[in-house]
Each structure stands twice: as structure tokens, then as C-alpha cells.
Amino acid sequence: MPTVEYLNYEVLDDHGWDMDDDDLFEKAGDAGLDEGDYGTIDVAEGEYILEAAEAQGYDWPFSCRAGACANCASIVKEGDIDMDMQQILSDEEVEDKGVRLTCVGTPTEEDVKIVYNAKHLDYLQNRVI
């Protein structure tokens, strides 16, 4: 069963961290963050990451649940996520920036690291509902 290690994007600003820090997840692990902001979730085969987070009691942002907005956007920092029927992100955002939608995203590797709540990134703002 794949494991997704997650970090809330809003925490980066609070701590002065950068999305491109090589040791971002190590910093998060050492910062004493609460489980809503940093931790791991297990994602069953064929389960969407957003559903897995909700099943484990987390209240992650979303709106459409259909890959048509950027509310549930995350940035993949390690591993990969396959998306069903996504219709809002450009190829550049997916391939170069690592943006994935958790509402239609399933991990394709055993260990995946994401920064969720990435809807606050400037280039995604205009697609948040």
C-alpha cells in the first residue's frame, strides 16, 4: 500500500522554508508540526489521495472533485502521482512544476512526498473556485 508523506503549503511561509529546499521534509519532521500540517497517509490501490486523507480525518482543500479546478492542487516532491481526467493544469505545470490534483490523483510508487494546499501558489490562484 503506497504511503504519501504530506506537508501543508501554508507551513512553508510560516517557517520561511522554500518549496525547492532539498531537506524540506526533514525540516518538517523536526519542526513538531501537528498532524494536519505534516505526516503520512496510506492510500489503498485505486484510492484517490484526497479520499485517503479524508478517511483518516483530514480536512484538505477541494471543491469540484472532478479535476476541473485547482483547489486540491499539490506539488509532488518525490515519487509520482497518476491523475484521471484532469482538465485544468497545463502540461508545463504537470511535467515541469510537479503539480497534481489530489481529488483525481493516485500514487504510482510506494513512497510519495507532496506539498498539499498548493492552491496558494501565484500561478494556480486564477483556477481556485
Side-chain angles (χ1 to χ4, degrees), residues 7 14 16 53 76 83 93-94 104 127-128:
L7 175 61
D14 296 346
V76 176
M83 289 184 291
E93 288 165 338
V94 173
V104 294
R127 283 164 285 166
V128 172

Side-chain angles (χ1 to χ4, degrees), residues 95-110:
E95 292 159 21
D96 299 338
K97 296 181 178 177
V99 182
R100 300 291 188 281
L101 303 177
T102 60
C103 74
V104 294
T106 53
T108 59
E109 298 174 39
E110 283 303 304

Side-chain angles (χ1 to χ4, degrees), residues 78-91:
E78 194 172 296
D80 200 10
I81 293 170
D82 193 26
M83 289 184 291
D84 290 350
M85 60 194 180
Q86 167 298 113
Q87 52 204 346
I88 191 83
L89 302 175
S90 70
D91 290 347

Side-chain angles (χ1 to χ4, degrees), residues 22 49 57 94:
D22 290 336
I49 295 168
V94 173

Side-chain angles (χ1 to χ4, degrees), residues 13-32:
D13 276 348
D14 296 346
H15 290 269
W17 298 337
D18 188 84
M19 183 71 82
D20 296 323
D21 288 349
D22 290 336
D23 58 350
L24 186 59
F25 285 83
E26 288 79 6
K27 288 178 181 177
D30 293 338

Side-chain angles (χ1 to χ4, degrees), residues 18 25 42 58 69 72 102 125-126 129:
D18 188 84
F25 285 83
D42 293 326
Y58 300 118
C69 74
C72 70
T102 60
Q125 279 289 296
N126 64 340
I129 295 175

